[in-house]
Every structure is written in C-alpha cells, then in structure tokens.
Amino acid sequence: MTSLLPPNATSAERALELAMRAGIDLSAVGTLWNPATCPADVLPFLAWGLAISHWDPNWNEAQKRAAIAEAIPFHQIKGTRAAVEEILARFHPLLSLVEWWQANPRREPHTFEVRAPAGPGGIDASFLTTQTAEAIIRDVAAAKPLRSHFDFVFALEAQATLWIAGGVMAGTVHRADYAAALDESRDWDALLQTQDGAPITNPDGSFFLETE
C-alpha cells in the first residue's frame, strides 16, 4: 500500500493514515479527553492518562466524571497541605490534619497526623473499616509532600468542662495506628495501575485490562 507519509513518520501518524483509508469516523477522538463527553466505558483510560491516584471503580458515572474534571486542578496543588485536606474531605468531613508544629507535644519536623475522632459527635467506628483506612493512607501518601511522613490516628476524645475556669479540656484516651499491608500474592506490575501503584478494577471486582 502506497503511503504519503515520510519514512520517519510516527506510529500514531501511520495509525491515523490507516484509519482514514478505512473510512473510520475520527470525529469522536476530540471528545475522549473531555470528562463531560468521554464515553463511560473509556473513563478509566482517561483517569489513568491523567494520573488520578484516588480512582474508585465503584463510583457512579457522575462521580467518575467529576473526579476526572478535578484532576488537573488537584495536580496543581499536589504535595501541599491543601491537597491532603481535600483528600480527607472526600472520605469524611471530620477527618483532620495536624502538622508537627501543631501537635502537643510537638512531633518531629516534616511529620503530621491524620486524625479520625471517635466517640459522641465523632466518626462512627463502622466507617473506618480496614479497607477504608488503607484507602485513606494510600490517597494521603499520594497527595502529601514527599519529605513528609504521617500517622493515621483513630482517637477517642473525652471532653470535660471545668466550670470554675470556664474552660474545656480534651484528652486522648485511646489511640490506634493503621498501616497498609503489602499484598505479594501476584505480580502487580502486570496490571494497569494508578500513579501510586493501585490496580484499576472493573465494577465486578476483577482487575481492569490484565496484560498477563
């Protein structure tokens, strides 16, 4: 087949030439990078292309499109406190970030805590399953400054009012740190993954686009 392309044409250029020769309608190509017009079944590819580290295949279509639309603005603040706080807000409004200089006593520099308050008025214990805790740790790790290290703290806060002084004292009576475990049951490099290494899955729980 005769080609008008030069010998140094790229594979993409040659693919476009073949598509044009075959009469394939390429008008939809311009919609693929737009989260509002991208076909629903192509959204995982678009999320991967935009390096979305907080992708959840169980989201509904509207949530997936919203996450993709927010990808570029989020990347602009990635590595800052604002990015971590945005991640926490996506999980629960009561999750908070306490930096080393805000803790009492002070922590080591460039460390922080992600706190999940329990008890009356706090986060229900049923919310913080192992899977949720691991997801929070994973997404915070992807959004935080690279130099920073953090602990995930599930704390029961006891509030006591001192009426004479008119003050309020808070004491932590329980603390539990969570740590994500590494699953070495298979070769994860053979799967399509997010930027932080989490495999993308289909709605039925199977791994998306297996290459092995």
Side-chain angles (χ1 to χ4, degrees):
M1 180 177 62
T2 303
S3 173
L4 297 178
L5 294 175
N8 63 343
T10 65
S11 57
E13 290 170 335
R14 296 191 182 281
L16 285 172
E17 182 185 45
L18 290 174
M20 294 175 67
R21 287 178 180 274
I24 298 176
D25 182 10
L26 299 177
S27 60
V29 173
T31 69
L32 299 180
W33 284 91
N34 187 333
T37 58
C38 180
D41 57 342
V42 185
L43 289 175
F45 291 98
L46 182 54
W48 176 78
L50 293 175
I52 294 180
S53 59
H54 52 279
W55 184 259
D56 186 345
N58 295 319
W59 286 338
N60 59 42
E61 183 177 329
Q63 290 174 313
K64 292 177 180 179
R65 294 187 186 278
I68 293 172
E70 296 168 359
I72 293 178
F74 180 77
H75 281 305
Q76 292 173 336
I77 64 170
K78 198 170 183 179
T80 67
R81 175 176 181 145
V84 175
E85 289 178 331
E86 182 173 324
I87 288 293
L88 297 180
R90 291 173 182 170
F91 284 96
H92 199 286
L94 293 182
L95 289 172
S96 62
L97 183 156
V98 179
E99 297 205 54
W100 64 273
W101 50 270
Q102 296 174 308
N104 185 19
R106 286 195 173 192
R107 296 168 52 93
E108 289 293 322
H110 310 308
T111 63
F112 64 93
E113 289 182 349
V114 172
R115 292 185 180 177
I123 299 175
D124 192 277
S126 62
F127 168 79
L128 278 177
T129 63
T130 301
Q131 291 77 13
T132 302
E134 289 178 350
I136 293 172
I137 292 171
R138 181 193 66 228
D139 289 356
V140 169
K144 70 176 181 64
L146 290 177
R147 70 180 181 181
S148 298
H149 301 276
F150 72 98
D151 294 322
F152 184 76
V153 180
F154 186 41
L156 178 63
E157 301 289 341
Q159 301 289 335
T161 303
L162 185 61
W163 292 103
I164 297 177
V168 177
M169 300 178 62
T172 299
V173 298
H174 176 72
R175 168 174 173 156
D177 293 343
Y178 291 81
L182 178 62
D183 184 356
E184 299 180 344
S185 61
R186 62 173 299 141
D187 180 12
W188 298 107
D189 291 335
L191 303 176
L192 184 63
Q193 303 174 6
T194 61
Q195 186 183 34
D196 66 330
I200 297 177
T201 58
N202 294 308
D204 61 0
S206 61
F207 294 114
F208 184 77
L209 200 64
E210 294 202 29
T211 59
E212 61 180 12

